[in-house]
Amino acid sequence: MRATTWRCVVGPKEFVAPATLPGRDAVRHRDSQHPENRCHPDLRSISVGSLISLCRLCSAQRDAATADRATSGGRQMKIAVVGSGAMGQLFGARLALGGNDVSFVDANPQVVERLNADGITLDFGTGTTSVVASATTAADARGIVDLVMMFTKGFHTEAALESIGHLVGKATFGLTLQNGLGNDVVLEQQFGSERTLIGMTDLPADLIRPGLVRTRREGKVAIGGTRGAMVAQGVRETFSAAGFTVAETTDVRVPIWEKVAFNSALNTISALTRQTVGQIGTDGGTRALVENVVDEVVDVAHAEGVDIDNDRIMSAVSSAFAHHTDHKTSMLGDIESGRRTEIDNIAGAVVQRGRDHHVETPVLDVLCTLVRSTQPS
């Protein structure tokens, strides 16, 4: 049985335990970390999910967590993660483990119930780390937050922001790490350009089920402001303190557009061929198609004044072919599940910007048309 590293949010201590904790270990944890909460004295066996509930019963949880955040270094924040899919759970869990006050906001009551009951477990391949989760629907969310992080599908961004408007104060920042282009425009309507942050991440995240995310520690986050990099410094410090590798960049649009090129190629082709990333890489025809798409996105980005690098993008693609062989792209997952894809926010947005600049994107245009034909109307 694989070991789990458990971090109780009441305090900074971590301990390693199997998936099911013997009753004496649960009681020892309760008595040492929660002496004011000596409930369930006859426990013989307790699951990780039950231990989460036990930790929640501690009357000093809020005060202890606040004290821990105040002494742990870095800037601690009250954060609302909007959209509790794979990426939302990954980032929210890691930020919570870093001592931040994180709430998960999701439109699906079943997801909310599951996260509240079981918390979130991150499976890094060599071991797992778990954390208590506080989840709610938008209507039930309360309190002004320091940071709103958007992880919904791009076509849900506007409605999602409207639903959590009561969490936004005069000093609240909005951050999008969503796929594609144009999400920053929607955020600016809510937060203003001075408090709108944009960014990208190449951290992998596969949602096994609500509350269980398969990921790796390798990867980075790039964050910048629509009005310049300095406005994002406090948020970058928070991410860094939580253990994220925060990339230094003078123009955050570069990594955003390079990821758009990466996704425009791999997402569209995987959605149409039903192939994993590794399968795309082993076929000469699909590899050539990837190169054509990347070339087109680079041309459009340059017309936009964003100096992305073709070689760097193809290096990332080659790495994905080699190391993410079994990965199914999110667009393929959407097609298989009969859901609407983000084609218009990713590749479709590139095609539209190409038209704005009179840059032709014939390959990408055809791929977009085909993907649209396969998704629900």
Side-chain angles (χ1 to χ4, degrees), residues 52-339:
I52 292 173
S53 298
L54 177 63
C55 290
R56 278 197 171 129
L57 291 173
C58 175
S59 60
Q61 176 173 341
R62 180 68 61 182
D63 291 341
T66 301
D68 181 40
R69 287 196 298 271
T71 58
S72 62
R75 184 186 177 193
Q76 310 304 310
M77 306 183 78
K78 185 173 183 179
I79 301 170
V81 174
V82 182
S84 299
M87 279 295 179
Q89 290 182 41
L90 169 62
F91 274 81
R94 289 189 59 174
L95 287 164
L97 287 165
N100 295 280
D101 181 0
V102 179
S103 58
F104 297 86
V105 181
D106 199 85
N108 189 330
Q110 286 75 36
V111 171
V112 169
E113 182 179 0
R114 188 70 176 266
L115 295 185
N116 283 330
D118 296 338
I120 296 173
T121 296
L122 303 179
D123 183 349
F124 293 99
T126 56
T128 62
T129 300
S130 298
V131 67
V132 173
S134 175
T136 180
T137 59
D140 293 331
R142 295 289 181 270
I144 301 299
V145 300
D146 301 315
L147 177 67
V148 171
M149 293 185 65
M150 297 302 300
F151 283 107
T152 64
K153 297 285 190 181
F155 48 79
H156 288 317
T157 301
E158 186 171 0
L161 283 173
E162 289 178 358
S163 73
I164 55 93
H166 56 291
L167 306 181
V168 178
K170 294 181 178 179
T172 303
F173 282 81
L175 168 62
T176 171
L177 297 179
Q178 296 158 285
N179 286 329
L181 302 170
N183 291 299
D184 56 320
V185 176
V186 184
L187 262 67
E188 285 183 353
Q189 296 172 0
Q190 177 74 270
F191 301 98
S193 58
E194 294 81 5
R195 292 180 290 116
T196 294
L197 306 178
I198 57 177
M200 83 91 203
T201 181
D202 58 8
L203 283 164
D206 290 314
L207 187 65
I208 308 306
R209 58 168 171 76
L212 178 58
V213 178
R214 183 177 295 136
T215 185
R216 296 185 322 181
R217 298 188 186 277
E218 297 83 4
K220 63 183 180 298
V221 184
I223 301 173
T226 57
R227 285 290 186 90
M230 290 305 297
V231 71
Q233 186 58 34
V235 175
R236 283 199 296 266
E237 290 173 358
T238 296
F239 275 67
S240 181
F244 289 96
T245 299
V246 181
E248 293 292 333
T249 177
T250 57
D251 184 355
V252 73
R253 297 178 304 164
V254 170
I256 290 173
W257 269 89
E258 290 185 348
K259 184 176 181 181
V260 166
F262 179 97
N263 283 337
S264 292
L266 295 185
N267 273 267
T268 55
I269 295 170
S270 66
L272 292 171
T273 62
R274 308 298 199 271
Q275 291 180 326
T276 65
V277 169
Q279 289 170 329
I280 293 171
T282 59
D283 182 87
T286 50
R287 285 184 72 107
L289 200 56
V290 167
E291 293 175 3
N292 288 335
V293 170
V294 170
D295 287 342
E296 291 183 356
V297 178
V298 169
D299 288 343
V300 175
H302 289 171
E304 285 260 313
V306 184
D307 190 22
I308 66 175
D309 185 82
N310 192 301
D311 291 340
R312 190 162 52 227
I313 298 164
M314 288 308 304
S315 176
V317 169
S318 296
S319 178
F321 287 156
H323 302 294
H324 303 289
T325 55
D326 296 327
H327 177 66
K328 288 187 175 183
T329 67
S330 59
M331 197 170 290
L332 173 55
D334 289 336
I335 291 294
E336 290 181 334
S337 301
R339 296 188 298 262

Side-chain angles (χ1 to χ4, degrees), residues 42 44 73 109 200 246 345 349 361 371-372:
D42 296 325
R44 290 185 175 87
M200 83 91 203
V246 181
N345 302 88
T361 55
V371 171
R372 292 188 189 102

